[in-house]
Amino acid sequence: MAAVTECLFCRIVAGEIPAEVVRAGDRVIAFRDVNPQAPTHVLVVSREHHDNVAALALADPEALAEMVTVGADLAKAEAEGDFRLVFNTGAEAGQSVFHVHGHVLAGRDFGWPPG
Ligand code: 5GP
Ligand code: ZN
């Protein structure tokens, strides 16, 4: 799927907008969230544009698996290994950028249920 020119995360993938990239894989890249909610807060995004995680799971399940692997690897490298992986899906669930991204959160305790 071609990059969506007005999509913020397509533009970060293309290098048009700067980001602190911490992992670059075949199908995904990971960069630090600009407004971190934990000591480690990294966004793992597909290189190709998909609107959300459900669309990604249908189109490219290997990319979804790579996202989980990258998240686990980051949590081991930067924290104790435990992590939360959040895919806000749809505006009512808190999604504000409509290019699939997993929030990898680690380095502190997390409450449940989420807000
Ligand atoms: P969502 O609300 O869609 O689940 O998550 C979007 C995330 O993208 C937010 O946590 C927000 O802080 C982050 N974000 C928004 N704009 C930028 C940006 O330009 N650069 C980076 N690194 N993160 C961004
Ligand atoms: Zn995009």
Side-chain angles (χ1 to χ4, degrees), residues 84 108-115:
R84 188 169 283 186
R108 66 168 170 86
D109 291 340
F110 296 98
W112 192 263

Side-chain angles (χ1 to χ4, degrees), residues 2-11 13 46-51 97-100:
V4 178
T5 50
E6 70 278 17
C7 171
L8 173 64
F9 289 172
C10 281
R11 296 188 70 195
V13 169
S46 56
R47 288 186 180 277
E48 293 193 339
H49 183 94
H50 300 280
D51 289 347
V97 178
F98 290 84
H99 177 134
V100 60

